[in-house]
Amino acid sequence: MINYDQSIKQSNSLAFSLKVEDGWPPVAIENIPCTKMDLGFRIDIPPLFINDLSVGDVVSVELDTSNNVISWNHVFQSNRTTIWILRLNKEQSISNVLIQLNKLNCNTVSLKEYDYFSIDVPHDCSIDLIDNCLLKLNQEFFSIVYPSFRHNE
């Protein structure tokens, strides 16, 4: 399992400009730790707001004058899946599900002040096991999205 705090200290970061509409996402820039490769940048943690991006993807980027990513393309797509979870009711617990996902070797990042989570699912982890964990979350109180689904169904 990746220790993301350590990963962030040892890697570069790309600042992705985001298009905010009606207050979402709640930030205009998402900084994603990455590793510089010969052909681009390898994504090191699951993104919180960027569709079709997973851990292990290598991307080429176009930067603006402030060195923010304004466009990007895949050079290589990993076989990892990214899942987003938004807790709609603070009184609903998510900790047990996150613990179960971590036991399945999934890694998580969060934006705690918005009760928002991004899950990195390794390719060798059964998506059925992941779905069984996520079924424990009441859909009335949690929104779940698969913005980068790479597992075979």
Side-chain angles (χ1 to χ4, degrees):
M1 186 176 317
I2 298 170
N3 178 333
Y4 285 129
D5 291 332
Q6 188 66 19
S7 174
I8 291 168
K9 292 175 188 170
Q10 295 177 350
S11 67
N12 296 313
S13 181
L14 288 173
F16 287 79
S17 295
L18 305 174
K19 185 177 180 183
V20 178
E21 293 181 19
D22 297 324
W24 195 261
V27 295
I29 301 284
E30 179 174 1
N31 287 299
I32 299 181
C34 60
T35 301
K36 177 74 173 111
M37 311 290 286
D38 288 337
L39 298 174
F41 296 88
R42 186 188 69 224
I43 303 303
D44 292 336
I45 70 167
L48 288 161
F49 303 108
I50 302 168
N51 282 311
D52 197 26
L53 199 59
S54 289
V55 171
D57 287 0
V58 176
V59 296
S60 63
V61 298
E62 180 183 344
L63 304 175
D64 65 14
T65 56
S66 300
N67 286 327
N68 293 331
V69 176
I70 54 173
S71 69
W72 60 275
N73 292 300
H74 282 108
V75 174
F76 169 80
Q77 284 186 315
S78 74
N79 51 9
R80 300 172 82 96
T81 290
T82 301
I83 301 171
W84 294 337
I85 302 171
L86 175 63
R87 181 169 45 187
L88 304 170
N89 180 323
K90 289 186 183 293
E91 302 202 3
Q92 298 295 310
S93 177
I94 190 172
S95 59
N96 288 338
V97 169
L98 294 176
I99 289 168
Q100 289 177 349
L101 291 170
N102 284 326
K103 287 180 180 177
L104 293 172
N105 292 322
C106 295
N107 298 293
T108 61
V109 295
S110 65
L111 192 56
K112 291 185 182 187
E113 58 268 29
Y114 293 97
D115 289 318
Y116 193 65
F117 306 85
S118 185
I119 315 300
D120 162 44
V121 183
H123 73 282
D124 58 352
C125 182
S126 164
I127 204 67
D128 290 334
L129 291 174
I130 299 301
D131 287 341
N132 287 336
C133 286
L134 297 177
L135 284 173
K136 295 173 183 165
L137 298 173
N138 185 328
Q139 291 183 357
E140 184 178 340
F141 303 117
F142 293 90
S143 177
I144 301 170
V145 178
Y146 294 75
S148 180
F149 190 84
R150 308 275 177 79
H151 278 71
N152 294 328
E153 295 186 50

